[in-house]
Amino acid sequence: MKMGFRWFGKEQDSVTLEQIRQIPGMDGVVTSLMDIPVGEVWPLERLKSLKQQVNDHGLQLEVIESVNIHEDIKLGLNTRDKYIQAYIETMDNLAQIGVKVICYNFMPVLDWVRTELAKPLEDGSTTMAYKDEYVYKINPQDLAAHVDEQTHGFDLPGWEPERLKEMSAAIDMYKNVSEQQYWDNIKYFLDSVIPYAEKYDIKLAIHPDDPPWPIFGLPRVITDRENIQKFLNLNNSPYNGLTLCTGSLGANRQNDIPSIIREFGSQGRIHFAHVRNLKFESGRDFYESAHLSRCGSLDIFEIVKAFYDIKFDGYIRPDHGRMIWGEKGRLGYGLYDRALGATYIQGLWEAIDKLHFSTDIAEINL
C-alpha cells in the first residue's frame, strides 16, 4: 500500500507539508484546488505549481480529491455535456502532472452529512457526529446554516459557502428525478469519461454516500455491496472503481466491510481507501472515534487484514480524525489524530506482514 494524507493546500489548511513529511511512512498527499468552482477546468499551470510544492517536500502527488461533479450532470440536464467536457479537460491536465487516481462522488447536493462537528468526548477530544432524528426534524437550509456556524472559518469539502446558499433550491430540482433516472445519469457520465480515463491512465474511484441512506428524499445509491456491484456493472472498465471508505459504508451496520474489501478488491476495482473508525450509538446515530479498533465499532485490524489479503498495492489514507491536544484547524482534518491513525494502520500492516511471513517459513520447514 501507499500511505497518503489529505491536504487542502497552503492557503486552505492549518496543516503544513513540513508537518506531513514528518509522519512516519508517509508517501504523499491527497489534495485538490479548493478555489476552482465546480464545472470549471483545473488550470495546468496551477497544477504544475501544486505538484512542485508537494515534491519539494519529498512527497508524491498521485491522488486527487475531489474533482466534483457538476449538479447538471447528476440531474441529467441538457447542459451536462459542457461540464463533462470540462471534466475531461481537467483529467487531461491531471494526467500531465502524473496523477493516477481521482476520488469523486455522485452524491446529490449534499456530500457527507454530520449534525455536530465538535461533539465533546469523555477524554476531552472533540469529533464529528450524526444524529438521525435531528436531520429529519430540520429543513435543509437550516442544516446548512447549522454546519456553517461550526466550521471555525474553514471551508469543508462538500459544504462550500456557495453550495450552502443554494441548498434548498438544488434539492427541489431532484423532486422529479427517480432513482432509476439517477442511475442512468451516472452511467451517462461514466460512459462519457471512462474512455478518457483509459487514455490518460487515470483510475476513477467513486466515494460511497455518507451516510449510506437517503437524506431529505435525495437519492443515495453507493451504499452497500449490492449497489456497489450495480455501479461497477454500469461500465466494466477496470478504470471504473471505488474509493473504499470504511466510515461511510460502515455507518450501515449491515455492511460487512472486510467482506466488501475482499470481494471488490479481488476484482481489482478498489483504487483508493479511506480508513477510519466510528462508534455506534442508538439507531443510526454515530460519532467518529479514534482509529484504534477498541475505540469504535469497526474492527480496523480485520479491515487492514482484508486489504493485505487482497495484496492491495493502491493508495490508503487515514480519514477524519478527532481534534486532540488543543489543536485548532479544519474540523475532522487536524494533524495529530490523523497522524496517529496513519501510524496505527501501518503498524497493523507490518504486524500482519510479519505474521504472514513467519507462517510461510513454518510451513516450508514442515
Side-chain angles (χ1 to χ4, degrees):
M1 67 169 176
K2 298 176 183 177
M3 180 60 66
F5 204 80
R6 184 72 157 110
W7 182 63
F8 293 92
K10 187 176 180 180
E11 306 300 326
Q12 296 271 353
D13 209 319
S14 60
V15 181
T16 67
L17 290 172
E18 289 86 355
Q19 292 170 324
I20 295 171
R21 181 69 178 88
Q22 294 172 39
I23 301 170
M26 194 56 60
D27 296 305
V29 297
V30 179
T31 188
S32 59
L33 296 179
M34 290 283 290
D35 61 315
I36 303 296
V38 177
E40 292 191 10
V41 177
W42 290 18
L44 181 57
E45 292 307 312
R46 288 278 309 278
L47 291 171
K48 287 180 177 178
S49 175
L50 181 64
K51 178 183 174 66
Q52 191 64 54
Q53 286 180 55
V54 173
N55 291 168
D56 285 348
H57 288 83
L59 297 164
Q60 298 301 311
L61 177 53
E62 296 183 347
V63 183
I64 286 290
E65 290 183 51
S66 305
V67 185
N68 291 327
I69 310 295
H70 196 277
E71 218 64 43
D72 289 14
I73 299 173
K74 299 175 190 177
L75 287 161
L77 302 183
N78 293 333
T79 50
R80 64 183 167 180
D81 286 340
K82 73 174 183 179
Y83 293 115
I84 289 174
Q85 183 56 40
Y87 205 94
I88 292 168
E89 291 178 30
T90 294
M91 290 168 60
D92 185 2
N93 290 343
L94 290 170
Q96 292 185 56
I97 66 163
V99 167
K100 297 300 181 186
V101 173
I102 295 173
C103 171
Y104 71 102
N105 72 72
F106 220 88
M107 288 180 263
V109 187
L110 302 161
D111 283 9
W112 54 274
V113 176
R114 299 293 183 271
T115 55
E116 192 173 3
L117 301 186
K119 174 185 173 69
L121 300 182
E122 290 183 1
D123 62 4
S125 64
T126 62
T127 192
M128 296 195 290
Y130 174 88
K131 285 196 173 295
D132 203 49
E133 184 179 8
Y134 185 91
V135 172
Y136 285 92
K137 284 184 175 180
I138 197 170
N139 66 57
Q141 209 60 51
D142 287 344
L143 176 62
H146 177 67
V147 169
D148 190 45
E149 290 171 357
Q150 303 177 68
T151 59
H152 294 179
F154 289 93
D155 288 351
L156 295 175
W159 290 85
E160 296 83 2
E162 64 274 11
R163 181 180 292 197
L164 299 184
K165 292 176 185 176
E166 306 297 331
M167 184 175 290
S168 292
I171 288 174
D172 285 342
M173 296 183 71
Y174 281 90
K175 289 181 177 178
N176 297 318
V177 178
S178 68
E179 184 172 305
Q180 183 55 53
Q181 286 173 317
Y182 203 65
W183 280 109
D184 292 342
N185 294 343
I186 297 173
K187 179 173 175 55
Y188 187 94
F189 171 75
L190 291 174
D191 290 346
S192 299
V193 301
I194 290 297
Y196 293 92
E198 295 171 343
K199 176 182 176 181
Y200 301 140
D201 193 24
I202 292 182
K203 291 186 167 106
L204 296 183
I206 196 167
H207 190 286
D209 297 348
D210 183 10
W213 50 73
I215 301 288
F216 299 130
L218 295 166
R220 310 280 273 192
V221 294
I222 312 299
T223 56
D224 55 23
R225 191 214 68 81
E226 181 180 2
N227 276 7
I228 288 172
Q229 188 63 71
K230 182 175 180 178
F231 167 79
L232 295 176
N233 289 343
L234 293 178
N235 188 299
N236 289 318
S237 170
Y239 283 78
N240 175 35
L242 304 172
T243 294
L244 197 293
C245 179
T246 65
S248 298
L249 290 172
N252 180 345
R253 297 171 190 251
Q254 304 306 311
N255 283 334
D256 183 336
I257 305 303
S259 175
I260 290 172
I261 292 169
R262 289 188 172 91
E263 179 174 358
F264 297 112
S266 65
Q267 299 174 21
R269 304 299 283 275
I270 299 177
H271 303 321
F272 184 31
H274 293 174
V275 176
R276 61 180 166 89
N277 208 342
L278 56 83
K279 183 71 173 178
F280 292 126
E281 298 187 291
S282 62
R284 287 177 166 177
D285 297 351
F286 63 87
Y287 65 83
E288 297 182 349
S289 68
H291 285 73
L292 196 69
S293 293
R294 71 184 186 190
C295 293
S297 299
L298 304 182
D299 190 330
I300 303 301
F301 170 83
E302 290 296 339
I303 286 169
V304 173
K305 187 175 185 300
F307 279 113
Y308 183 89
D309 288 346
I310 63 168
K311 298 179 171 59
F312 184 71
D313 61 357
Y315 305 89
I316 288 181
R317 72 166 176 82
D319 205 7
H320 306 161
R322 302 164 300 144
M323 300 305 283
I324 64 175
W325 302 334
E327 183 177 15
K328 303 296 182 184
R330 187 186 302 271
L331 297 170
Y333 290 97
L335 170 65
Y336 305 135
D337 203 36
R338 289 189 297 149
L340 292 175
T343 54
Y344 175 58
I345 293 164
Q346 291 179 93
L348 289 174
W349 189 281
E350 179 179 332
I352 293 165
D353 186 51
K354 289 187 174 181
L355 287 170
H356 181 80
F357 180 76
S358 299
T359 302
D360 287 347
I361 294 297
E363 289 175 353
I364 291 171
N365 290 337
L366 289 174

PDB file of all heavy atoms in Angstrom, residues 82-103:
ATOM      1  N   LYS A  82     -21.361  20.023 -21.567  1.00  0.00           N
ATOM      2  CA  LYS A  82     -20.276  21.004 -21.465  1.00  0.00           C
ATOM      3  C   LYS A  82     -19.493  20.819 -20.170  1.00  0.00           C
ATOM      4  O   LYS A  82     -18.283  21.033 -20.131  1.00  0.00           O
ATOM      5  CB  LYS A  82     -20.815  22.433 -21.581  1.00  0.00           C
ATOM      6  CG  LYS A  82     -21.581  22.959 -20.386  1.00  0.00           C
ATOM      7  CD  LYS A  82     -21.933  24.432 -20.583  1.00  0.00           C
ATOM      8  CE  LYS A  82     -22.639  24.999 -19.356  1.00  0.00           C
ATOM      9  NZ  LYS A  82     -22.964  26.443 -19.505  1.00  0.00           N
ATOM     10  N   TYR A  83     -20.182  20.399 -19.113  1.00  0.00           N
ATOM     11  CA  TYR A  83     -19.493  20.158 -17.846  1.00  0.00           C
ATOM     12  C   TYR A  83     -18.699  18.851 -17.890  1.00  0.00           C
ATOM     13  O   TYR A  83     -17.630  18.741 -17.275  1.00  0.00           O
ATOM     14  CB  TYR A  83     -20.494  20.151 -16.696  1.00  0.00           C
ATOM     15  CG  TYR A  83     -21.117  21.511 -16.462  1.00  0.00           C
ATOM     16  CD1 TYR A  83     -22.474  21.721 -16.671  1.00  0.00           C
ATOM     17  CD2 TYR A  83     -20.337  22.595 -16.076  1.00  0.00           C
ATOM     18  CE1 TYR A  83     -23.048  22.971 -16.473  1.00  0.00           C
ATOM     19  CE2 TYR A  83     -20.902  23.852 -15.874  1.00  0.00           C
ATOM     20  CZ  TYR A  83     -22.250  24.033 -16.084  1.00  0.00           C
ATOM     21  OH  TYR A  83     -22.806  25.284 -15.903  1.00  0.00           O
ATOM     22  N   ILE A  84     -19.208  17.873 -18.611  1.00  0.00           N
ATOM     23  CA  ILE A  84     -18.452  16.636 -18.800  1.00  0.00           C
ATOM     24  C   ILE A  84     -17.184  16.915 -19.603  1.00  0.00           C
ATOM     25  O   ILE A  84     -16.106  16.387 -19.294  1.00  0.00           O
ATOM     26  CB  ILE A  84     -19.325  15.566 -19.492  1.00  0.00           C
ATOM     27  CG1 ILE A  84     -20.413  15.070 -18.515  1.00  0.00           C
ATOM     28  CG2 ILE A  84     -18.474  14.397 -19.982  1.00  0.00           C
ATOM     29  CD1 ILE A  84     -21.424  14.122 -19.129  1.00  0.00           C
ATOM     30  N   GLN A  85     -17.285  17.769 -20.618  1.00  0.00           N
ATOM     31  CA  GLN A  85     -16.101  18.128 -21.399  1.00  0.00           C
ATOM     32  C   GLN A  85     -15.062  18.830 -20.524  1.00  0.00           C
ATOM     33  O   GLN A  85     -13.859  18.570 -20.647  1.00  0.00           O
ATOM     34  CB  GLN A  85     -16.491  19.025 -22.568  1.00  0.00           C
ATOM     35  CG  GLN A  85     -15.328  19.403 -23.477  1.00  0.00           C
ATOM     36  CD  GLN A  85     -14.591  18.208 -24.050  1.00  0.00           C
ATOM     37  OE1 GLN A  85     -15.208  17.215 -24.430  1.00  0.00           O
ATOM     38  NE2 GLN A  85     -13.267  18.292 -24.106  1.00  0.00           N
ATOM     39  N   ALA A  86     -15.521  19.705 -19.642  1.00  0.00           N
ATOM     40  CA  ALA A  86     -14.596  20.370 -18.722  1.00  0.00           C
ATOM     41  C   ALA A  86     -13.929  19.351 -17.802  1.00  0.00           C
ATOM     42  O   ALA A  86     -12.734  19.471 -17.482  1.00  0.00           O
ATOM     43  CB  ALA A  86     -15.339  21.428 -17.904  1.00  0.00           C
ATOM     44  N   TYR A  87     -14.690  18.351 -17.382  1.00  0.00           N
ATOM     45  CA  TYR A  87     -14.141  17.296 -16.528  1.00  0.00           C
ATOM     46  C   TYR A  87     -13.032  16.547 -17.253  1.00  0.00           C
ATOM     47  O   TYR A  87     -11.961  16.270 -16.692  1.00  0.00           O
ATOM     48  CB  TYR A  87     -15.256  16.330 -16.116  1.00  0.00           C
ATOM     49  CG  TYR A  87     -15.001  15.592 -14.825  1.00  0.00           C
ATOM     50  CD1 TYR A  87     -15.480  16.080 -13.622  1.00  0.00           C
ATOM     51  CD2 TYR A  87     -14.269  14.400 -14.814  1.00  0.00           C
ATOM     52  CE1 TYR A  87     -15.250  15.414 -12.428  1.00  0.00           C
ATOM     53  CE2 TYR A  87     -14.030  13.732 -13.631  1.00  0.00           C
ATOM     54  CZ  TYR A  87     -14.522  14.240 -12.442  1.00  0.00           C
ATOM     55  OH  TYR A  87     -14.283  13.589 -11.259  1.00  0.00           O
ATOM     56  N   ILE A  88     -13.285  16.233 -18.512  1.00  0.00           N
ATOM     57  CA  ILE A  88     -12.295  15.513 -19.324  1.00  0.00           C
ATOM     58  C   ILE A  88     -11.032  16.358 -19.493  1.00  0.00           C
ATOM     59  O   ILE A  88      -9.903  15.842 -19.409  1.00  0.00           O
ATOM     60  CB  ILE A  88     -12.905  15.130 -20.684  1.00  0.00           C
ATOM     61  CG1 ILE A  88     -13.998  14.069 -20.487  1.00  0.00           C
ATOM     62  CG2 ILE A  88     -11.828  14.629 -21.643  1.00  0.00           C
ATOM     63  CD1 ILE A  88     -14.863  13.829 -21.708  1.00  0.00           C
ATOM     64  N   GLU A  89     -11.187  17.641 -19.712  1.00  0.00           N
ATOM     65  CA  GLU A  89     -10.017  18.521 -19.847  1.00  0.00           C
ATOM     66  C   GLU A  89      -9.220  18.578 -18.550  1.00  0.00           C
ATOM     67  O   GLU A  89      -7.983  18.608 -18.565  1.00  0.00           O
ATOM     68  CB  GLU A  89     -10.473  19.915 -20.269  1.00  0.00           C
ATOM     69  CG  GLU A  89     -11.011  19.988 -21.693  1.00  0.00           C
ATOM     70  CD  GLU A  89     -11.500  21.381 -22.070  1.00  0.00           C
ATOM     71  OE1 GLU A  89     -10.953  22.368 -21.523  1.00  0.00           O
ATOM     72  OE2 GLU A  89     -12.433  21.475 -22.889  1.00  0.00           O
ATOM     73  N   THR A  90      -9.926  18.577 -17.420  1.00  0.00           N
ATOM     74  CA  THR A  90      -9.237  18.538 -16.128  1.00  0.00           C
ATOM     75  C   THR A  90      -8.475  17.227 -15.974  1.00  0.00           C
ATOM     76  O   THR A  90      -7.327  17.213 -15.489  1.00  0.00           O
ATOM     77  CB  THR A  90     -10.235  18.720 -14.980  1.00  0.00           C
ATOM     78  OG1 THR A  90     -10.782  20.047 -15.035  1.00  0.00           O
ATOM     79  CG2 THR A  90      -9.575  18.517 -13.624  1.00  0.00           C
ATOM     80  N   MET A  91      -9.085  16.119 -16.382  1.00  0.00           N
ATOM     81  CA  MET A  91      -8.406  14.829 -16.330  1.00  0.00           C
ATOM     82  C   MET A  91      -7.119  14.858 -17.159  1.00  0.00           C
ATOM     83  O   MET A  91      -6.073  14.334 -16.735  1.00  0.00           O
ATOM     84  CB  MET A  91      -9.332  13.719 -16.831  1.00  0.00           C
ATOM     85  CG  MET A  91     -10.489  13.407 -15.900  1.00  0.00           C
ATOM     86  SD  MET A  91     -11.745  12.344 -16.684  1.00  0.00           S
ATOM     87  CE  MET A  91     -10.772  10.900 -17.082  1.00  0.00           C
ATOM     88  N   ASP A  92      -7.194  15.452 -18.322  1.00  0.00           N
ATOM     89  CA  ASP A  92      -6.010  15.582 -19.190  1.00  0.00           C
ATOM     90  C   ASP A  92      -4.905  16.348 -18.465  1.00  0.00           C
ATOM     91  O   ASP A  92      -3.740  15.931 -18.441  1.00  0.00           O
ATOM     92  CB  ASP A  92      -6.420  16.300 -20.480  1.00  0.00           C
ATOM     93  CG  ASP A  92      -5.287  16.380 -21.499  1.00  0.00           C
ATOM     94  OD1 ASP A  92      -4.189  15.858 -21.251  1.00  0.00           O
ATOM     95  OD2 ASP A  92      -5.504  16.973 -22.570  1.00  0.00           O
ATOM     96  N   ASN A  93      -5.260  17.453 -17.850  1.00  0.00           N
ATOM     97  CA  ASN A  93      -4.266  18.253 -17.131  1.00  0.00           C
ATOM     98  C   ASN A  93      -3.682  17.496 -15.934  1.00  0.00           C
ATOM     99  O   ASN A  93      -2.481  17.588 -15.651  1.00  0.00           O
ATOM    100  CB  ASN A  93      -4.884  19.578 -16.675  1.00  0.00           C
ATOM    101  CG  ASN A  93      -5.163  20.516 -17.839  1.00  0.00           C
ATOM    102  OD1 ASN A  93      -4.622  20.338 -18.937  1.00  0.00           O
ATOM    103  ND2 ASN A  93      -6.003  21.504 -17.623  1.00  0.00           N
ATOM    104  N   LEU A  94      -4.532  16.762 -15.232  1.00  0.00           N
ATOM    105  CA  LEU A  94      -4.054  15.977 -14.094  1.00  0.00           C
ATOM    106  C   LEU A  94      -3.096  14.879 -14.552  1.00  0.00           C
ATOM    107  O   LEU A  94      -2.092  14.589 -13.888  1.00  0.00           O
ATOM    108  CB  LEU A  94      -5.231  15.374 -13.328  1.00  0.00           C
ATOM    109  CG  LEU A  94      -6.093  16.374 -12.554  1.00  0.00           C
ATOM    110  CD1 LEU A  94      -7.365  15.704 -12.034  1.00  0.00           C
ATOM    111  CD2 LEU A  94      -5.316  16.982 -11.391  1.00  0.00           C
ATOM    112  N   ALA A  95      -3.397  14.268 -15.679  1.00  0.00           N
ATOM    113  CA  ALA A  95      -2.509  13.232 -16.213  1.00  0.00           C
ATOM    114  C   ALA A  95      -1.127  13.808 -16.515  1.00  0.00           C
ATOM    115  O   ALA A  95      -0.106  13.132 -16.321  1.00  0.00           O
ATOM    116  CB  ALA A  95      -3.113  12.614 -17.468  1.00  0.00           C
ATOM    117  N   GLN A  96      -1.089  15.052 -16.961  1.00  0.00           N
ATOM    118  CA  GLN A  96       0.188  15.674 -17.318  1.00  0.00           C
ATOM    119  C   GLN A  96       1.086  15.928 -16.116  1.00  0.00           C
ATOM    120  O   GLN A  96       2.304  16.115 -16.280  1.00  0.00           O
ATOM    121  CB  GLN A  96      -0.065  16.977 -18.081  1.00  0.00           C
ATOM    122  CG  GLN A  96      -0.678  16.763 -19.453  1.00  0.00           C
ATOM    123  CD  GLN A  96      -0.800  18.052 -20.236  1.00  0.00           C
ATOM    124  OE1 GLN A  96       0.179  18.770 -20.445  1.00  0.00           O
ATOM    125  NE2 GLN A  96      -2.016  18.368 -20.679  1.00  0.00           N
ATOM    126  N   ILE A  97       0.512  15.934 -14.901  1.00  0.00           N
ATOM    127  CA  ILE A  97       1.354  16.097 -13.701  1.00  0.00           C
ATOM    128  C   ILE A  97       1.531  14.766 -12.956  1.00  0.00           C
ATOM    129  O   ILE A  97       2.047  14.741 -11.844  1.00  0.00           O
ATOM    130  CB  ILE A  97       0.812  17.182 -12.746  1.00  0.00           C
ATOM    131  CG1 ILE A  97      -0.529  16.785 -12.136  1.00  0.00           C
ATOM    132  CG2 ILE A  97       0.722  18.537 -13.448  1.00  0.00           C
ATOM    133  CD1 ILE A  97      -0.912  17.600 -10.913  1.00  0.00           C
ATOM    134  N   GLY A  98       1.084  13.673 -13.566  1.00  0.00           N
ATOM    135  CA  GLY A  98       1.342  12.357 -13.004  1.00  0.00           C
ATOM    136  C   GLY A  98       0.305  11.811 -12.054  1.00  0.00           C
ATOM    137  O   GLY A  98       0.579  10.837 -11.333  1.00  0.00           O
ATOM    138  N   VAL A  99      -0.889  12.379 -12.045  1.00  0.00           N
ATOM    139  CA  VAL A  99      -1.958  11.876 -11.176  1.00  0.00           C
ATOM    140  C   VAL A  99      -2.445  10.523 -11.691  1.00  0.00           C
ATOM    141  O   VAL A  99      -2.645  10.342 -12.891  1.00  0.00           O
ATOM    142  CB  VAL A  99      -3.121  12.888 -11.093  1.00  0.00           C
ATOM    143  CG1 VAL A  99      -4.363  12.266 -10.454  1.00  0.00           C
ATOM    144  CG2 VAL A  99      -2.677  14.116 -10.308  1.00  0.00           C
ATOM    145  N   LYS A 100      -2.637   9.578 -10.768  1.00  0.00           N
ATOM    146  CA  LYS A 100      -3.034   8.217 -11.121  1.00  0.00           C
ATOM    147  C   LYS A 100      -4.461   7.869 -10.703  1.00  0.00           C
ATOM    148  O   LYS A 100      -5.054   6.937 -11.236  1.00  0.00           O
ATOM    149  CB  LYS A 100      -2.082   7.213 -10.470  1.00  0.00           C
ATOM    150  CG  LYS A 100      -0.634   7.337 -10.945  1.00  0.00           C
ATOM    151  CD  LYS A 100      -0.519   7.118 -12.447  1.00  0.00           C
ATOM    152  CE  LYS A 100       0.914   7.201 -12.928  1.00  0.00           C
ATOM    153  NZ  LYS A 100       0.993   7.118 -14.415  1.00  0.00           N
ATOM    154  N   VAL A 101      -5.001   8.595  -9.715  1.00  0.00           N
ATOM    155  CA  VAL A 101      -6.342   8.289  -9.199  1.00  0.00           C
ATOM    156  C   VAL A 101      -7.081   9.590  -8.918  1.00  0.00           C
ATOM    157  O   VAL A 101      -6.505  10.524  -8.349  1.00  0.00           O
ATOM    158  CB  VAL A 101      -6.276   7.450  -7.901  1.00  0.00           C
ATOM    159  CG1 VAL A 101      -7.677   7.288  -7.297  1.00  0.00           C
ATOM    160  CG2 VAL A 101      -5.662   6.089  -8.166  1.00  0.00           C
ATOM    161  N   ILE A 102      -8.360   9.643  -9.320  1.00  0.00           N
ATOM    162  CA  ILE A 102      -9.253  10.739  -8.954  1.00  0.00           C
ATOM    163  C   ILE A 102     -10.361  10.163  -8.071  1.00  0.00           C
ATOM    164  O   ILE A 102     -11.092   9.265  -8.487  1.00  0.00           O
ATOM    165  CB  ILE A 102      -9.888  11.425 -10.171  1.00  0.00           C
ATOM    166  CG1 ILE A 102      -8.819  12.121 -11.025  1.00  0.00           C
ATOM    167  CG2 ILE A 102     -10.954  12.439  -9.734  1.00  0.00           C
ATOM    168  CD1 ILE A 102      -9.355  12.683 -12.329  1.00  0.00           C
ATOM    169  N   CYS A 103     -10.456  10.662  -6.854  1.00  0.00           N
ATOM    170  CA  CYS A 103     -11.561  10.320  -5.962  1.00  0.00           C
ATOM    171  C   CYS A 103     -12.658  11.356  -6.157  1.00  0.00           C
ATOM    172  O   CYS A 103     -12.402  12.560  -6.088  1.00  0.00           O
ATOM    173  CB  CYS A 103     -11.075  10.304  -4.519  1.00  0.00           C
ATOM    174  SG  CYS A 103     -12.384  10.140  -3.281  1.00  0.00           S
TER     175      CYS A 103
END
